[in-house]
Amino acid sequence: MATENSVFPSRPDSLALPVEDKGDGEEPEVASTGVFNLSEELGHVVTTQTTTSPPALTKVNRSFQSKLAEREANANQQRKKTQGTEKERGRFGWARTRRKRQRYVEKNGRCNVQHGNMRETYRYLTDIFTTLVDLNWRCSLFVFVMAYAVTWLFFGAIWYLIAYIRGDLDHLGDENWTPCVNNVNGFISAFLFSIETETTIGYGHRVITDQCPVGTMLLLLQAILGSMVNAFMVGCMFVKISQPNKRAETLVFSKHAVISLRDDKLCLMFRVGDLRSSHIVGANMRAKLIKSKQTQEGEFIPLDQTDISVGFETGDDRLFLVSPLVISHEIDTRSAFWDMSQAQLEKEDFEIVVILEGMVEATGMTCQARSSYLAEEVLWGHRFSPMMSLAEGFFDVDYGAFHHTFEVDTPSCSARELALAAARLDAHLYWSISSRLDEEPTLAEQTPKQADSSSANSKAGEPIFTVGEMTDIQEQTGLGELNGSITTDQSESEA
């Protein structure tokens, strides 16, 4: 049985099987069974029915174009939902997480650099004191314990060897025998005597006698070496405990840097503060831009460092860090952010390293605190919230608002475009003022009017007084007098 256009309510643009919509997640179901043949006329489907006819569809079937349009609309909706997050579209449109940039300096100031393939490791032993100070606490404590234990065991073994060679161990109960060290009857007692000698405890039970010159020399040697070991190890531990980098733990930087207008100029700003009451003497601030670049000759420079001015020319980089301060970098023609706009900032890949140096007031040691900001940690159009208020007799600083920022009206263009716009505005104002001046009557137009009025007054018989002006007759007489003087001078010279 042949049916013409019995399935499609309208002629489709392309051949498609009739599909019944059952909702999302369900498989499309074919409405009729049999063998499909395409006739010469488009839109005619000939079906050879072999079974009973299916029930009529309850829903109107849609064409391929309508389904494609609906699919694109759903894709656009999904794209709008995911917009603003840190996801990008891959080659085939699949969502992928944006790769986070590897930091050069961590937020806590630790440099994320590891040295490898170092063959000249002997150089560390030439500066053994600094090497021991730079070790972590676990290794430092191990070296500290082993330094004393090894020296005690070494000299204890020598004291035992002296007693063994002299035969003191064979005459333990002999009162007529004078040993090198009294009451040394084995290795344990020799080890205890070594500890008492090096630490200068001196319990009085074990004592060296005057019948052993070798023991006397060994006693002097152990006393000298013990003092050197004490000085070296105690000095290392003291320096490690009083390291100024622990003072940097109380020097805090804001989590984000901001870019906004200050005095009609774009500025990059971040905040720094000191949590302690003891101040940093001679605090100095520096900033570096870490960004890879390629030279004009094709040389690739990874992690190139560029200075960011934070007031070196004006002295603003020297801080009086009593309360939290906002450090500002003016984006001018010498700045690395001169051509960077808000849209370009979101695509850039760089790191800003900030360094605060100063002397600790309590110890007099130089301290350095570091932090960094990635490109996504720089907020465009934000400003830091105020955190200082005036209380009764003092200034109150609220560190709860240290990292808080709020949005302000900021142009999204670069500093170069902002400067060009300001220059165009100034030029427009200049030319508009000059055009207004051109519209006013000039002195040349006013002079004939004044001459006409003076001639009228002269006809009436009134005298004329001109101030600051010279008539044509006066100019001619002046030129005549000048020429006359010149001719008389020439005649006198000829005479």
Side-chain angles (χ1 to χ4, degrees):
M1 179 178 177
T3 59
E4 183 177 353
N5 292 338
S6 61
V7 178
F8 295 99
S10 61
R11 178 176 296 177
D13 296 335
S14 61
L15 182 61
L17 294 179
V19 179
E20 181 182 358
D21 294 335
K22 293 186 178 181
D24 298 336
E26 298 184 1
E27 298 292 336
E29 182 180 352
V30 180
S32 61
T33 59
V35 181
F36 293 88
N37 295 320
L38 182 63
S39 63
E40 294 181 358
E41 296 186 18
L42 293 176
H44 294 83
V45 180
V46 179
T47 307
T48 305
Q49 192 71 27
T50 57
T51 60
T52 59
S53 59
L57 298 177
T58 58
K59 296 183 180 179
V60 179
N61 295 313
R62 298 175 299 170
S63 63
F64 178 75
Q65 282 77 10
S66 62
K67 293 179 182 178
L68 183 61
E70 183 180 358
R71 184 181 301 174
E72 290 180 356
N74 294 335
N76 291 334
Q77 259 184 351
Q78 189 68 18
R79 191 179 295 110
K80 288 180 181 179
K81 289 181 181 179
T82 57
Q83 190 176 7
T85 60
E86 292 187 355
K87 289 188 177 180
E88 298 178 352
R89 293 290 173 181
R91 182 177 179 182
F92 301 101
W94 298 332
R96 64 184 181 185
T97 306
R98 183 179 178 183
R99 184 180 63 87
K100 190 175 181 181
R101 187 186 189 277
Q102 184 66 42
R103 286 184 178 274
Y104 188 66
V105 176
E106 299 291 341
K107 296 293 286 186
N108 58 0
R110 185 180 64 87
C111 296
N112 196 11
V113 178
Q114 293 184 0
H115 302 281
N117 196 18
M118 294 182 298
R119 300 179 180 179
E120 299 179 355
T121 55
Y122 65 90
R123 295 181 181 272
Y124 288 97
L125 298 178
T126 58
D127 189 11
I128 187 63
F129 185 82
T130 306
T131 302
L132 293 177
V133 171
D134 290 340
L135 293 175
N136 54 23
W137 275 104
R138 184 179 301 176
C139 296
S140 296
L141 292 176
F142 177 77
V143 171
F144 185 81
V145 172
M146 291 302 297
Y148 285 102
V150 168
T151 55
W152 293 341
L153 287 172
F154 175 74
F155 284 102
I158 295 179
W159 287 114
Y160 176 77
L161 184 61
I162 291 175
Y164 178 79
I165 293 175
R166 291 185 76 254
D168 295 341
L169 301 179
D170 298 333
H171 300 82
L172 294 178
D174 190 359
E175 296 180 356
N176 297 324
W177 180 263
T178 303
C180 183
V181 180
N182 291 329
N183 299 317
V184 173
N185 51 13
F187 180 76
I188 300 300
S189 57
F191 177 70
L192 293 177
F193 178 73
S194 175
I195 295 176
E196 294 176 9
T197 302
E198 190 167 340
T199 57
T200 65
I201 295 176
Y203 291 110
H205 182 65
R206 299 178 184 87
V207 60
I208 189 172
T209 61
D210 55 356
Q211 299 296 324
C212 183
V214 178
T216 304
M217 296 178 59
L218 182 61
L219 180 65
L220 295 175
L221 180 61
Q222 186 176 2
I224 295 173
L225 291 179
S227 300
M228 295 176 61
V229 171
N230 288 332
F232 189 81
M233 298 310 301
V234 171
C236 288
M237 296 303 294
F238 176 77
V239 172
K240 192 170 183 63
I241 291 173
S242 61
Q243 272 185 335
N245 55 2
K246 300 303 178 183
R247 177 63 175 88
E249 298 293 334
T250 54
L251 297 173
V252 291
F253 295 88
S254 57
K255 294 180 180 179
H256 296 88
V258 298
I259 294 179
S260 60
L261 289 176
R262 258 193 180 185
D263 297 331
D264 295 333
K265 295 181 180 178
L266 284 177
C267 295
L268 171 69
M269 294 171 285
F270 58 92
R271 181 180 273 172
V272 61
D274 188 4
L275 301 179
R276 288 190 180 273
S277 299
S278 59
H279 309 309
I280 297 293
V281 180
N284 185 21
M285 177 62 66
R286 294 186 292 123
K288 292 281 187 180
L289 176 65
I290 309 297
K291 183 180 179 181
S292 300
K293 74 171 186 179
Q294 188 172 5
T295 61
Q296 297 179 357
E297 295 78 14
E299 179 187 2
F300 179 75
I301 304 177
L303 302 178
D304 181 59
Q305 300 183 11
T306 306
D307 282 333
I308 299 177
S309 176
V310 290
F312 177 76
E313 296 83 3
T314 59
D316 293 337
D317 60 334
R318 294 184 288 274
L319 310 178
F320 182 54
L321 198 59
V322 178
S323 60
L325 299 176
V326 176
I327 310 300
S328 175
H329 162 65
E330 182 180 337
I331 303 178
D332 53 8
T333 56
R334 296 173 296 176
S335 174
F337 307 100
W338 176 244
D339 296 320
M340 188 176 297
S341 61
Q342 182 178 5
Q344 189 178 0
L345 176 63
E346 298 174 356
K347 303 176 183 179
E348 285 291 334
D349 187 11
F350 61 85
E351 183 176 356
I352 301 173
V353 178
V354 292
I355 305 169
L356 175 63
E357 294 178 339
M359 187 172 61
V360 182
E361 186 179 22
T363 60
M365 295 183 177
T366 303
C367 172
Q368 185 181 91
R370 297 180 295 267
S371 186
S372 66
Y373 301 98
L374 297 179
E376 56 266 21
E377 295 174 348
V378 179
L379 305 179
W380 189 286
H382 282 246
R383 186 181 297 168
F384 286 105
S385 302
M387 53 183 302
M388 182 177 291
S389 60
L390 180 60
E392 295 181 359
F394 60 91
F395 293 95
D396 186 20
V397 179
D398 181 17
Y399 274 94
F402 184 81
H403 302 286
H404 290 179
T405 61
F406 61 94
E407 295 185 3
V408 293
D409 293 335
T410 305
S412 59
C413 62
S414 63
R416 176 191 289 272
E417 296 173 352
L418 187 63
L420 291 176
R424 292 192 191 100
L425 181 60
D426 293 341
H428 176 71
L429 292 176
Y430 173 78
W431 289 111
S432 62
I433 292 173
S434 62
S435 62
R436 290 178 183 176
L437 292 175
D438 293 338
E439 293 175 359
E440 297 180 359
T442 59
L443 293 175
E445 295 176 355
Q446 293 178 357
T447 303
K449 296 181 181 179
Q450 293 177 359
D452 296 338
S453 61
S454 62
S455 61
N457 294 331
S458 62
K459 290 179 182 178
E462 297 178 357
I464 301 173
F465 298 96
T466 58
V467 179
E469 295 180 358
M470 182 180 293
T471 61
D472 296 337
I473 299 173
Q474 291 175 348
E475 290 179 357
Q476 292 176 2
T477 55
L479 291 174
E481 293 176 355
L482 183 60
N483 294 331
S485 64
I486 293 174
T487 54
T488 53
D489 293 340
Q490 289 179 354
S491 60
E492 290 176 358
S493 63
E494 290 177 356

